Every structure is written in structure tokens, then in C-alpha cells.
Amino acid sequence: MKRALSRREFLKLMGLFPLLSLPGSRRVRGRESSASPNILFLVFDTLSARHISLYGYPRETMPNLARFAERATVFHRNYSAGSFTTSGTASLLTGLLPATHRALQAYGTVAEEHRPRNLFSLFRAAGYHTLSFSQNLLVNILVKDFIDAVEDYVPADAFALAAHEFSDDLFFKDYGIATQAERTFLSPLGQFPNSLFLSLVSKYVEEGGQQAVTRKLREKFPRGLPQNHGLVYVLEDLVDWAKEALPGLPQPYLAYLHIMPPHDPYNPRVDFIGRYAEQPDGAPEKPVHFFSEGRDADFLRGKREHYDEYIAYVDAEFGRLIDALEAQGALENSWVVFASDHGELFERGIYRHITPVLYEGVIGVPLLMRAPGQRGRVDVVSPTNNVDILPTLLQHAGIAIPSGLEGRVLPPWGDRQAGRLLFAVDAKSNPKRGPLRVGTIAAMQGAKKLVHFFGYDGYESEYEFYDLAADPEEMVNLYDPSDVEIAALQAEIESLRQRGRE
Amino acid sequence: MATSSASGRRREARPAAVDIFVLTAFLIHVWTILNMLWDVPSWLLHMSVGELAGAVGYTLLFALLESILLALPLILLAYVLPAKWRREQALNLTFLFLALSAAAALVLHSFESLWFSKRWIGAAWLLVLLSASFFVIRGKLLGDWIGRAAARLQLLVGIYVAADLLGGLIVLVRNL
């Protein structure tokens, strides 16, 4: 269903009233200068570190990120805490592991007792102006539980060329449940909708709207437009808005921008299509996993190429945004964080990230932080986790770090902590309370990685163990139940599984 | 026949609009409730009692909206028909329309690839509807059993609508 304002009108208003015309914007303060640094937190959905040239990928997918990295701290072994948006992003926003925050399913929310302490509330309490924008509806479901601390909530369809979602307008206060009911009624994935007829009408109308827009931009986006959850958009519009709006925010500000690309469908601009047709991806053939979806190597190779093209498009727009902000001097007193909520997989018969496996492709995510005025590059090779971002940002802003966060201040600003244990969790079929009964947990310590699959039909308890230093592609399962080191990691995983019993 | 006359008299006291709504709402609610029951186990995993009530409330409210949106044009169409057709034939044609539409919808939901042939399916649906309508009207094929069925379904649909309105109340409270 279309918004009352056309996109053109909306963008014109943007130019005249940088902040007042933000749709859904709830409060505005005058601009103030501040000694506290601004925080620009950019999260690119579904961006795997394995596909970034900065991290050694043979295709040059992100030259602008490489340029940004020359004056940033680069984390070379950073992990997401979850394998898909809800769990991964909830960890970003709360500094807690999925086993703790319990936003485990699509449309899931953080457990009530953990909601009051989040990225927005902690910065808002310290006097920061807080802004949240996400093109991913699952993120907005999480953010709505923190909405009291978000001064500027920019709705997901703010820059959409076509939008087909009404819960944000009609049921703002109860967005999470309303959206889930709306989507299961009209357009669920992989099952019958709860609506017999209206779902078909809705699908017809939605397609019509999308096709009309896609036809107009066919030359520029021949594969189709970026789209998800009923929203159709181009990244350029978001960047154009951010270039103008961010410098005009009251300071100090925390701006959280969750950008959908390179989440599929991989629909880049025309100048990126075919870019890697002649360049091998360097990915070795890997054994088919017992959780294989049956995708063959040719299919995966083709999708990988499209994904890389999409990443290159994302990189170009990221570069354009950073260059524009720098030219305006808008980053002089700003930390810029470049992150992702989870990765993407094209191996072992598995495609994308809705999978029980936790290989490096799906949990290895980029993380870069540029300090205000940073002039050189710093490389951090010790393993880190996205749960570390929140306490680190709090320290950068001079805000006391509350107890109970599971992340730690990242090196070089915090201790390097050799031998630190990190986790990633996939547990979509578990309740909000009680031990985890079915799922996958990966424990990383140094170069060692133990993965435990538990509770699945036919796979009640399976282990995989890898030495990532000798075997970065995770080809050889070295699991040995008699190994003392492995047994210690097993005990840690079991302890994490039992969390939330009370 | 006494039974036919008695049921005919009862139907005369009940407007055709009610029967049309009953048939429409019954079909839509059966589908919605059956499919919603598939969702409830996964909802139970991550929703509190209040949230679950909300999810069910929204779904029932949407089902009521869908029932009204579909029934209204059918009711209006019925009142366009000549008065002598309005009761029996309007109801029979409504049943025919709903049955064929449900069949077409089920096909499109079950076989996603057929969505690309939706225009052909729509054309086939229209052809069958028009042909069958002709035979229903001329041959009085369906008799008055649709009307009797609608009478028996009234109570059940009444319960559905009451549940829908309760769902609406829950939605209202959750959004205040």
C-alpha cells in the first residue's frame, strides 16, 4: 500500500527540513555542538567477511571499504553471535548472546528482562540524540521494543519506491505482533497464508506496484530492483538522504542504519553486473553436509557471483556516503562503525543463511571502526564478536558500561585476552525460557572451533572440530571425544545450552 | 412439502444478505483457523500469553475484514437480481462462486509456479462460473439445500464473528 507522500515529494521535503520531515520522526531538538563523539553505526545485512577483498577474497568486491580501512581499526576475525538477522542484530543491540537475549526466531523479540538496557537506551540516557532506520522489518520488530529511547524512528518504507506493508502505519505501538500476523495472513514463506482470497489480491497488487517501478528502472537495474518484505528501493536514495540528514542531527548523536543490501535478491545496478564473470572466486569444492539443501555446485557458483556483484554495488554507495560526509566535515567528531549482522553461505549444498550450520561464511562478518580524526590503520587479528561492539561504543562515548553485558571492550582499547571463548548460536526452534533443546552452537577459542548440532531429527548430537589456522576452509573434521581441549569446549557449549533454565 | 415450506418460510424471514455473509464467512474462517493452528506451535515458542492473544486477535480481525470485503459485493449483486431470484438463486450462485473461487485459490496456493499462469486460471474460472451459473439458474440444480445449510451454519458463524470482535478488542487494547 503506497504512502500518502510520493517519493519525489518526500525527498524534496528532506532537502527543506532535514529533520522535521523524517516520516515517523517523533521529536526534534535544535542542533548542538558537543565534545562527546557522534556514533554512526552502519550495519549491512548479510555481508560475509569471506567475500570482502579486504579480508583476502580474490575478487575485488570492496575497494572503497579498503580505502576506508586505511584510517580505521580492522578486525580480521570478527564473528556474529547469530546466523540470521533477528538473533544477530539483537546481539548487536544488547551486547548479549542469543542464548541470553532469546530473540531466536524470525519475528522474535528480546526477552523482557533484557529490553531496558540496549544500545539506544544507554546512549539516550547519556544525552545522545538517537536515530534508528532499518530496511529489514525483523530489525524494526526488535527496535520497537526499545522505541522509548529512539528519538528519531525512520520507518522502513521511508525510501521505498513501492511499499506493501501496513502494520507500521496502523499498529505502530504493537508493530512486532501486528507485522507477524499481517505477514502470516498475507504472505508467509513456505506455507499457506492464513487468508484464502485476500492474500492473492494482495500478492497481485504488490506485484503490480513492484513491476511498475521495476519497469521504469529496468535499464539501470536489469535484474530487478533491490527488494525485501514487500519493500522495493534503491540504495542511492538512502545514501542521498543520509548525506544530508546526518550532519544536521542534534549532537552528539547515535545513528543506527541497518541497510538491507547485500541481502538477497542480489539485484545490483547495471554497472556491476558481469563484473566477475572472468574472475574465479577461488572457493574450493567442499563435501556435502548432512544439512545440505541439495544445491549443486554450478547453482552455488552462479549465486556467489551475483552476491559478489551486489557487494560491489553496496561498496560503491558506502564509499559515496563516507566521501560526502567527510567532505562536509561531518565525521570530524564521529566514530564510524562498519558491521554486519551475519554472513551468507554458498557451499556444501547450502545456499544463503537460513541453515543450522555455522561455518565461517555465515558467522564471519566484517567489523571496522574509525575514530574521529584517525590517520592510520590498526589491525586486530584476535577473535572478536559482535556482542563486543556495544561496550566498545559505550567506552568511546565515555558512558559507563553496565554490568551483565556479555561483550567486552574490543582491543586495542580493551585487553586482548588471549584464549578468549566466543560463541555463535542458531536455535530457532526453542522457547524464550529454559535450556536450548535443539540448535547449533559454535565455540571459538583461538584458532580452534567446535560446533555442536543437537536435538535435530536424526542428528541428536553431532560435533565438528576445526583448526582454523591449518584448515581455514573447515574441510577436515578433527573431532575426537577423548581430546582434553575439545572436552573443555564441549563443557562450555553445554553450559551455554543450559542458560535460561530458571 | 411441509418441510420445504417451513424452511422456505424461515428463510423468507431471514434476509438473503445474512445467508450470503454466513456462507462467505464460514469458508474464510475455516481456512484461516485451520492454517492459524499450524502457526500456533511456533508462536508459542517465542510469544507471551498476551502476545499470542494479540497474534490470534489480529488474524481473526483480518478474517472478519476479508469476510466483509468479499460478502459485500456478493450481497449487492444479489440485490441487483430480480426479487423472485433473490433468495434461492442468489444463495446458490453465491455458493457456486465461493466454491469455484476457493478451488482456484487452493490451486494457486498449492502450486506456486501456476501463479505465472494466473490470467489463464482466472479466465478458466470465469468460464466455468458463467457456464455453471447458467445451469444452476435454468436447471435449478442445487435446490434449496444451500439455504438449509446456511441456516445451520448461522450459529457457528455467529461464534466466529464473536471471536473476531473479541480479537478486535484485543487489538484495540494492545494499540492504546
Side-chain angles (χ1 to χ4, degrees):
Chain A
M1 293 175 193
K2 296 231 180 106
R3 299 178 50 78
L5 277 177
S6 72
R7 185 179 68 88
R8 186 180 291 278
E9 290 161 349
F10 175 73
L11 288 174
K12 281 182 185 169
L13 282 174
M14 290 275 84
L16 290 173
F17 301 105
L19 200 50
L20 290 176
S21 50
L22 282 170
S25 178
R26 298 185 305 137
R27 280 197 296 279
V28 175
R29 292 203 313 252
R31 189 175 172 175
E32 303 162 13
S33 62
S34 167
S36 296
N38 304 313
I39 310 286
L40 174 56
F41 193 170
L42 301 170
V43 176
F44 291 88
D45 207 304
T46 320
L47 181 55
S48 174
R50 285 269 162 136
H51 287 253
I52 298 177
S53 34
L54 175 68
Y55 291 104
Y57 192 52
R59 289 173 171 162
E60 199 186 2
T61 49
M62 302 199 80
N64 289 292
L65 187 67
R67 193 160 53 89
F68 176 84
E70 291 311 308
R71 292 189 288 126
T73 302
V74 182
F75 298 86
H76 287 266
R77 266 196 71 199
N78 187 60
Y79 289 101
S80 62
S83 61
F84 78 110
T85 292
T86 299
S87 55
T89 305
S91 288
L92 280 171
L93 299 180
T94 62
L96 301 172
L97 291 168
T100 308
H101 64 56
R102 303 305 270 233
L104 301 171
Q105 298 87 6
Y107 304 105
T109 54
V110 170
E112 273 192 53
E113 63 269 27
H114 296 301
R115 288 178 197 170
R117 194 182 57 196
N118 58 77
L119 176 76
F120 302 103
S121 67
L122 292 168
F123 275 83
R124 182 81 185 96
Y128 271 69
H129 181 87
T130 50
L131 179 146
S132 173
F133 168 74
S134 170
Q135 289 173 314
N136 191 324
L137 302 188
L138 298 184
V139 173
N140 284 329
I141 289 172
L142 294 170
V143 170
K144 287 297 178 82
D145 282 336
F146 313 146
I147 201 68
D148 287 342
V150 179
E151 289 198 81
D152 277 314
Y153 171 79
V154 184
D157 60 359
F159 313 105
L161 302 174
H164 198 76
E165 191 243 357
F166 58 81
S167 290
D168 211 356
D169 296 323
L170 289 179
F171 309 114
F172 183 88
K173 195 164 180 237
D174 194 25
Y175 178 73
I177 299 300
T179 288
Q180 181 157 5
E182 178 192 336
R183 296 207 75 78
T184 51
F185 193 74
L186 293 176
S187 54
L189 290 173
Q191 61 183 74
F192 286 149
N194 289 345
S195 155
L196 180 58
F197 298 118
L198 215 50
S199 54
L200 294 170
V201 172
S202 170
K203 188 173 176 178
Y204 186 79
V205 169
E206 180 180 354
E207 274 186 8
Q210 290 180 0
Q211 279 167 10
V213 167
T214 304
R215 259 196 304 274
K216 273 191 207 167
L217 292 170
R218 176 67 69 187
E219 273 189 36
K220 214 170 164 191
F221 291 87
R223 206 178 276 162
L225 289 167
Q227 57 182 279
N228 290 92
H229 297 151
L231 303 175
V232 179
Y233 47 83
V234 292
L235 202 41
E236 288 83 334
D237 289 342
L238 168 58
V239 169
D240 288 342
W241 165 78
K243 280 164 43 184
E244 302 300 322
L246 291 174
L249 289 177
Q251 297 192 36
Y253 67 76
L254 161 76
Y256 178 84
L257 304 184
H258 193 112
I259 299 153
M260 202 71 180
H263 191 295
D264 79 295
Y266 312 134
N267 292 343
R269 211 170 53 215
V270 62
D271 40 325
F272 299 96
I273 291 176
R275 180 171 278 211
Y276 305 112
E278 304 303 321
Q279 289 182 39
D281 55 35
E285 289 291 327
K286 295 190 180 178
V288 172
H289 195 266
F290 53 78
F291 280 131
S292 164
E293 298 159 8
R295 305 287 193 175
D296 64 48
D298 285 339
F299 172 86
L300 292 173
R301 197 170 301 115
K303 287 296 183 186
R304 178 189 285 263
E305 188 179 319
H306 289 182
Y307 178 63
D308 291 343
E309 293 166 354
Y310 206 30
I311 291 175
Y313 166 56
V314 166
D315 177 72
E317 289 304 301
F318 167 73
R320 195 164 70 87
L321 174 62
I322 296 298
D323 290 346
L325 291 175
E326 280 197 311
Q328 299 174 68
L331 299 182
E332 281 171 8
N333 186 37
S334 300
W335 279 90
V336 181
V337 181
F338 182 101
S340 176
D341 54 350
H342 61 83
E344 192 88 312
L345 208 62
F346 305 88
E347 60 186 53
R348 307 173 205 254
I350 299 167
Y351 167 50
R352 296 194 305 158
H353 54 275
I354 306 301
T355 168
V357 305
L358 294 175
Y359 288 106
E360 295 288 290
V362 83
I363 60 170
V365 290
L367 178 59
L368 291 84
M369 289 194 182
R370 177 187 279 182
Q374 184 166 348
R375 288 285 164 255
R377 173 170 164 164
V378 176
D379 290 280
V380 175
V381 297
S382 51
T384 56
N385 192 293
N386 274 352
V387 293
D388 300 329
I389 295 177
L390 176 55
T392 305
L393 293 181
L394 290 170
Q395 176 159 302
H396 291 334
I399 300 170
I401 300 170
S403 63
L405 294 189
E406 292 176 304
R408 300 178 189 176
V409 176
L410 290 160
W413 309 286
D415 299 335
R416 285 191 188 272
Q417 295 165 343
R420 183 187 169 201
L421 189 57
L422 300 173
F423 294 101
V425 177
D426 178 70
K428 296 182 187 76
S429 301
N430 289 272
K432 243 182 167 60
R433 302 207 178 279
L436 300 179
R437 295 189 300 248
V438 53
T440 313
I441 296 177
M444 283 75 64
Q445 190 169 43
K448 313 298 185 200
K449 179 177 179 182
L450 179 68
V451 182
H452 184 203
F453 302 92
F454 55 92
Y456 295 103
D457 279 344
Y459 304 100
E460 288 299 322
S461 184
E462 298 287 333
Y463 286 92
E464 294 177 4
F465 180 75
Y466 300 103
D467 178 346
L468 295 175
D471 177 24
E473 294 296 338
E474 301 168 287
M475 299 285 270
V476 182
N477 181 3
L478 299 172
Y479 178 65
D480 176 0
S482 64
D483 185 297
V484 169
E485 195 177 23
I486 292 174
L489 288 176
Q490 275 182 268
E492 293 287 353
I493 287 177
E494 188 58 26
S495 173
L496 186 70
R497 268 193 66 185
Q498 298 303 323
R499 192 171 298 182
R501 178 184 278 284
E502 60 282 349
Chain B
M1 285 184 289
T3 306
S4 177
S5 300
S7 65
R9 280 198 296 275
R10 278 198 295 278
R11 275 205 311 286
E12 282 172 18
R14 192 174 67 247
V18 171
D19 285 342
I20 291 172
F21 179 79
V22 163
L23 288 178
T24 310
F26 173 73
L27 174 68
I28 284 172
H29 280 74
V30 163
W31 174 270
T32 295
I33 291 168
L34 277 177
N35 281 285
M36 185 171 62
L37 289 175
W38 280 100
D39 295 319
V40 167
S42 70
W43 287 354
L44 279 169
L45 274 182
H46 67 276
M47 290 185 187
S48 64
V49 170
E51 289 169 342
L52 183 63
V56 172
Y58 281 108
T59 304
L60 291 177
L61 189 64
F62 297 157
L64 180 62
L65 179 69
E66 184 173 13
S67 302
I68 292 170
L69 285 174
L70 184 56
L72 258 178
L74 293 175
I75 291 167
L76 289 172
L77 257 172
Y79 279 86
V80 162
L81 290 174
K84 68 173 180 175
W85 283 11
R86 194 168 297 149
R87 289 186 194 89
E88 274 193 20
Q89 298 297 6
L91 216 48
N92 291 340
L93 291 172
T94 296
F95 172 78
L96 188 67
F97 172 86
L98 289 173
L100 288 174
S101 301
L106 201 56
V107 164
L108 287 171
H109 286 312
S110 302
F111 305 101
E112 272 197 50
S113 57
L114 286 179
W115 180 255
F116 298 105
S117 311
K118 55 187 176 292
R119 289 176 203 268
W120 290 109
I121 291 174
W125 168 85
L126 188 63
L127 192 63
V128 172
L129 179 67
L130 290 173
S131 312
S133 300
F134 175 79
F135 286 109
V136 162
I137 292 168
R138 289 298 299 270
K140 296 188 192 252
L141 287 174
L142 295 175
D144 66 349
W145 73 267
I146 303 292
R148 282 184 274 128
R152 280 160 176 76
L153 288 173
Q154 255 200 328
L155 178 60
L156 181 59
V157 170
I159 294 171
Y160 288 155
V161 172
D164 296 345
L165 294 174
L166 179 61
L169 188 62
I170 293 171
V171 166
L172 191 66
V173 166
R174 289 185 63 86
N175 283 278
L176 283 174

